[in-house]
Amino acid sequence: MRKPLLTAAAAAVSLALGLTACGSGPDAESGTRGGAEGGTLVVGATAVPAGEVLTYIKDNLAQKAGLDLEIKEFTDYVLPNTALQEGSLDANLYQNEPYLDDFNQSKGTDLVPVVKAYLPPMGVYSKKITDVTKLADGATVAVPNDTTNEGRALKLLASKGVITLKEGAGTDASPADIGANPKGLKFKELEPAQLPRSLDDVAAAVINNNYAQDAGLSPTKDAILLESAKDNPYANLLAVKRGNEDDPRVEKLARLLTSADVRKFIEDKYQGSVLPVVSG
């Protein structure tokens, strides 16, 4: 059974970060920070790669573009969206569209995508095997326990024939949607942030890109199976609360995120571990 993404400890840490993001606080009526015409744009992000991409923009591009950018880092996938909905953030960068859609539906939020920025490919990692097809019969594979990331993980395993998903299984696929499991694999559902720490205890783990890099894993060097960028719906995007898409500050950041300078930064820094999805 899927569990909420947040442990109590992570919630406490992230809540502190979220409260720090409040600054002078949201407008009491509109629920947004400041005005659309000026002021600091406060953007929530996970540390890697979103925080690093935004820091590059802040240090190298924002001033010339007339953008005052403040970055607030979070350690989970829930609070950046709740803070955005409540108005203590102006935008966030860390999630893909299937996750955003599911979050809106399950939490009653009203958040919308602005622009896709890059793809952080999900990967399968193991300390025991070097080929995902060599998983032993009855082996345990750890997967994320939230709806869209678990479905994404199962689709990645299915892409190599390790399992087969039932016809019609979508982005919210769960182990119940497995049609064929010839190796009799067992699936251990864990919070995404805990997956790197599970590698000593399981045969393999399917880990989100940011948590893999946070744990010192290189997607291009250490993953035994990595997502392809082709026709991939999981690019990370800049998101805002509905109605703020035309905020001039948001438009400036969207242009910078899709610029040739940011594409080059991503290509040079991540060497294929994060893939730009914009043209420059």
Side-chain angles (χ1 to χ4, degrees):
M1 181 173 64
R2 295 188 178 99
K3 299 179 180 179
L5 274 170
L6 231 52
T7 61
V13 172
S14 296
L15 181 59
L17 288 168
L19 291 173
T20 301
C22 290
S24 59
D27 181 271
E29 295 182 1
S30 68
T32 59
R33 294 179 51 86
E37 297 304 322
T40 301
L41 183 73
V42 182
V43 184
T46 49
V48 181
E52 293 176 339
V53 172
L54 290 170
T55 297
Y56 170 78
I57 290 174
K58 180 177 180 178
D59 292 346
N60 298 278
L61 306 175
Q63 183 175 2
K64 185 177 180 181
L67 177 64
D68 185 7
L69 183 62
E70 182 178 350
I71 304 160
K72 295 296 181 182
E73 291 187 357
F74 291 79
T75 59
D76 75 293
Y77 289 163
V78 175
L79 282 175
N81 273 346
T82 56
L84 182 57
Q85 178 70 23
E86 293 164 0
S88 58
L89 296 175
D90 299 307
N92 66 38
L93 175 67
Y94 75 100
Q95 65 193 313
N96 55 61
E97 195 158 4
Y99 181 86
L100 177 64
D101 290 343
D102 180 74
F103 194 96
N104 279 332
Q105 183 176 0
S106 63
K107 305 294 185 183
T109 48
D110 192 22
L111 311 178
V112 295
V114 176
V115 69
K116 293 180 179 179
Y118 54 81
L119 172 72
M122 178 177 272
V124 181
Y125 298 81
S126 176
K127 292 185 176 182
K128 301 174 177 64
I129 57 172
T130 58
D131 184 341
V132 71
T133 65
K134 304 299 183 185
L135 282 163
D137 291 350
T140 297
V141 179
V143 295
N145 70 349
D146 67 285
T147 303
T148 54
N149 281 309
E150 183 170 47
R152 182 181 180 184
L154 294 176
K155 284 180 177 291
L156 180 57
L157 294 170
S159 72
K160 293 297 286 186
V162 176
I163 58 172
T164 300
L165 294 176
K166 296 175 183 177
E167 185 175 355
T171 57
D172 60 349
S174 73
D177 294 301
I178 295 174
N181 184 1
K183 293 178 177 288
L185 299 177
K186 300 179 180 66
F187 294 94
K188 186 174 185 178
E189 297 167 299
L190 297 173
E191 294 179 8
Q194 295 181 359
L195 288 164
R197 296 193 291 272
S198 75
L199 286 173
D200 288 330
D201 304 317
V202 298
V206 191
I207 305 176
N208 291 82
N209 187 285
N210 63 304
Y211 290 125
Q213 294 199 58
D214 283 346
L217 297 168
S218 167
T220 52
K221 296 177 182 178
D222 298 322
I224 62 174
L225 176 62
L226 199 63
E227 280 181 329
S228 167
K230 184 178 180 181
D231 300 323
N232 194 308
Y234 296 108
N236 280 184
L237 52 86
L238 182 68
V240 298
K241 189 173 181 179
R242 187 179 302 278
N244 295 332
E245 303 94 315
D246 296 330
D247 182 325
R249 302 167 302 163
V250 172
E251 292 178 338
K252 286 177 183 178
L253 180 55
R255 286 195 295 271
L256 294 176
L257 281 168
T258 55
S259 67
D261 286 333
V262 170
R263 168 184 279 274
K264 186 176 188 304
F265 168 77
I266 290 171
E267 290 174 340
D268 291 348
K269 180 172 181 61
Y270 298 110
Q271 299 291 308
S273 291
V274 178
L275 304 171
V277 296
V278 298
S279 61

